């Protein structure tokens, strides 16, 4: 077997795509600053531009996952004294078997089916950027993956939806006399009313084209707020209307945050520094939305019928989207559009609390 080559960095992955576009072969470690020799000198200035477009093709979180999974695979190959390049379905099949068996050094337990599927997708992406596509339909991969699903797959674990009464209780746990509490109030209400993903909440800017890492912007109007977002399914507009009272109005909460934080440009939701007295310039990350939802839901006693450890696993940033989908008493098409789903079936998966037996086919059949 071939000896292992070192894993590549995230920058190396981006370089690999730019280089493969120029026709050069890529193997092993790739220098982030290396320029493909096949390119004429007058085209070299386009290399950095190409890398920028590669970066824009996916979110920062996705690129980090791609780089992390490739590093995980390359380290496993190195320990087995085999090479990660070029792609060999048999080697990849053995790798996902090791992931499912819990025999990969450094992993505390066997990887879940969803984690293995993500790792496999990451490998396919990494190989494709090097112009060496991986054939996932090869029996060494497809058959093994089918067996892993049949053996280890579990029903999907859905996060708890926070309903309107839950949101109100969660808001009451915040310190409304502090900048952090005012910010968190606006984040919860905007996230819930907009049915936004956590990355979409923190990716918002005050206005269009104000930051390079922004994934959307807001426009406050008389009747509500219009958020323009770049999400998983492309660009979409989300309308967030004003609430029935200032206490629960997402627009009023956002206007208060912008006024007291003195934000007129750049990221919408930022870190609060200096023991809560100042607002920094740094954008929050999506994990902080998840922590906010979990912390306030637990403090408000949401799902108090469950054990403390079980409750802690029930809530995440996704709870806001699920809450809107489950509580909005409107035509399903409007909910689908708000959440940015390509199909009504996906929207129904978010509707946690609904009358499952509203249509009784047993009685309808005459029994």
């Amino acid at each position: 077997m071939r000896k292992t080559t070192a894993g590549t960095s995230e920058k190396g992955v981006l370089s690999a795509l730019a280089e493969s576009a120029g026709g050069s072969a890529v193997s092993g470690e790739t220098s982030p600053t290396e320029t493909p020799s096949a390119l004429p000198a007058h085209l070299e200035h386009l290399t950095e531009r190409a890398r920028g477009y590669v970066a824009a093709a996916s979110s920062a979180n996705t690129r980090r996952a791609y780089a992390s999974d490739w590093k995980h695979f390359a380290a496993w190959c190195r320990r087995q004294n085999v090479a990660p390049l070029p792609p060999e379905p048999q080697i990849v099949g053995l790798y996902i078997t090791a992931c499912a068996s819990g025999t990969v050094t450094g992993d505390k337990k066997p990887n879940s089916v969803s984690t293995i599927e993500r790792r496999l997708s990451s490998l396919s992406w990494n190989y494709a950027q090097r112009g060496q596509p991986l054939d996932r339909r090869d029996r060494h991969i497809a058959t093994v993956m089918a067996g892993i699903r049949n053996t280890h797959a579990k029903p999907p674990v859905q996060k708890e939806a926070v309903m309107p009464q839950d949101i109100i209780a969660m808001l009451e746990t915040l310190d409304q006399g502090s900048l952090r509490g005012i910010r968190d109030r606006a984040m919860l209400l905007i996230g819930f009313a907009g049915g936004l993903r956590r990355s979409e909440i923190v990716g918002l800017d005050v206005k269009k084209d104000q930051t390079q890492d922004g994934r959307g912007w807001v426009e406050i109007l008389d009747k509500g707020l219009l958020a323009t977002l770049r999400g998983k399914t492309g660009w979409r507009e989300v309308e967030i209307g004003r609430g029935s009272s200032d206490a629960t109005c997402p627009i009023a909460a956002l206007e208060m945050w912008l006024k007291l934080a003195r934000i007129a440009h750049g990221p919408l939701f930022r870190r609060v520094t200096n023991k809560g007295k100042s607002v920094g310039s740094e954008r929050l990350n999506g994990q902080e939305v998840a922590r906010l939802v979990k912390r306030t839901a637990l403090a408000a006693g949401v799902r108090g019928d469950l054990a403390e450890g079980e409750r802690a696993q029930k809530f995440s940033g996704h709870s806001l989207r699920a809450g809107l989908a489950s509580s909005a008493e409107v035509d399903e098409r409007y909910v689908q559009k708000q959440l940015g789903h390509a199909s009504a079936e996906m929207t129904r998966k978010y509707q946690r609390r609904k009358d499952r037996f509203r249509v009784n086919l047993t009685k309808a059949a005459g029994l």
Side-chain angles (χ1 to χ4, degrees), residues 86-89 123-136:
E88 287 192 4
L123 295 187
S124 296
W125 185 89
N126 277 278
Y127 280 127
Q129 309 321 308
R130 293 166 173 77
Q132 303 181 53
L134 174 68
D135 184 7
R136 293 178 58 172

Side-chain angles (χ1 to χ4, degrees), residues 80 89 108 111 124 127 130 141 164 224 246 250 264-265 283 315 320:
Q80 311 309 315
K108 296 180 179 179
N111 291 169
S124 296
Y127 280 127
R130 293 166 173 77
I141 298 176
D246 285 348
H265 186 279
R283 185 188 305 278
F315 303 101
L320 299 177

